Amino acid sequence: MVCSILDKAHTRFMSVDYTADFFAYYEVYGAESATIFADDMNKVIKSANKIDTVTLETNENYLICKIESRNGNSRVFEFVLPAETIESPNPPSISLPVSFKLDLDDLKQGIKDLKIVGSSEIKFVACEDTLNILAGVEVSTNYCYNLSIDNDVEDNISSRFSLEYVEQLLKFNKISKTVDLELGENHPLLYKFEDDVMGIKVNGMIAPRLEVED
């Protein structure tokens, strides 16, 4: 099962792939597709307990979400499917010149430091076998976190992103303690988390913050 999510500002895209082994029960005949508003589903899933069973079904008009507790009590939510004019998000396919694996602990340290200096941005600069994490231009304190990466980059590649959006990547630490990143000069940040045992893979894209010329 593939779950694709695009935020309202079109600055963040995420695609989560689940294998059949991820589910306690999985039965799908042919191809089933449904487009709903992510906020609605998020509220419902948050209302479930960890021991509850969540069952998803589809028909022509609804995506049906049934939450059943251990004692057999159940709650049913029927999500009305949006108009046919609203399509499932489909990001562009791009190839970037720099790819490397980064420990989430290193990313977390860089984010903590950027918060100390008051930066709302995070800047990645890759050159040869080094990745530098820098603060945004709006702060008065210079900061640089120098990390070794397993990649040879001939030219300097740099891009700036919202610190808030990059920090949200740390939430995937239950899937993997490392993240695969791809960078390009003023291009989106591509990321991937994967756990073959759990049967889950997360691919995402964060739009860059571009320099504004006066």
Side-chain angles (χ1 to χ4, degrees), residues 83-121:
E84 294 180 357
T85 55
I86 300 179
E87 299 180 354
S88 177
N90 186 22
S93 177
I94 57 178
S95 178
L96 299 180
V98 182
S99 61
F100 56 92
K101 191 179 295 290
L102 184 65
D103 287 340
L104 284 188
D105 285 342
D106 289 331
L107 181 61
K108 184 177 181 179
Q109 183 62 62
I111 291 171
K112 283 183 176 180
D113 293 341
L114 291 176
K115 287 184 174 182
I116 291 174
V117 301
S119 180
S120 63
E121 297 179 345

Side-chain angles (χ1 to χ4, degrees), residues 16 42 49 69 75 82 112 115 159 170 175 183:
V16 187
N42 186 46
N49 294 318
S69 63
R75 298 177 291 141
K112 283 183 176 180
K115 287 184 174 182
S159 284
L170 301 178
I175 298 175
L183 287 174

Side-chain angles (χ1 to χ4, degrees), residues 50-65:
K50 291 183 179 180
I51 60 174
D52 290 345
T53 299
V54 178
T55 303
L56 298 177
E57 300 178 8
T58 59
N59 60 30
E60 293 182 357
N61 300 312
Y62 300 100
L63 172 66
I64 303 168
C65 178

Side-chain angles (χ1 to χ4, degrees), residues 103-175:
D103 287 340
L104 284 188
D105 285 342
D106 289 331
L107 181 61
K108 184 177 181 179
Q109 183 62 62
I111 291 171
K112 283 183 176 180
D113 293 341
L114 291 176
K115 287 184 174 182
I116 291 174
V117 301
S119 180
S120 63
E121 297 179 345
I122 180 170
K123 183 176 182 180
F124 293 113
V125 179
C127 182
E128 296 182 349
D129 59 351
T130 300
L131 174 72
N132 291 317
I133 296 178
L134 306 174
V137 296
E138 84 280 16
V139 298
S140 59
T141 303
N142 293 327
Y143 169 80
C144 179
Y145 188 19
N146 183 278
L147 298 166
S148 296
I149 57 175
D150 186 17
N151 190 89
D152 291 328
V153 185
E154 295 182 358
D155 300 319
N156 282 2
I157 300 294
S158 66
S159 284
R160 299 184 301 126
F161 305 93
S162 164
L163 182 65
E164 176 188 0
Y165 294 165
V166 174
E167 184 179 15
Q168 291 172 355
L169 299 184
L170 301 178
K171 296 180 179 180
F172 294 112
N173 66 340
K174 293 183 179 180
I175 298 175

Side-chain angles (χ1 to χ4, degrees), residues 1-19:
M1 185 179 81
V2 179
C3 179
S4 301
I5 304 171
L6 179 68
D7 70 0
K8 294 179 180 179
H10 289 200
T11 56
R12 289 173 293 169
F13 172 85
M14 181 190 306
S15 177
V16 187
D17 293 39
Y18 304 90
T19 66

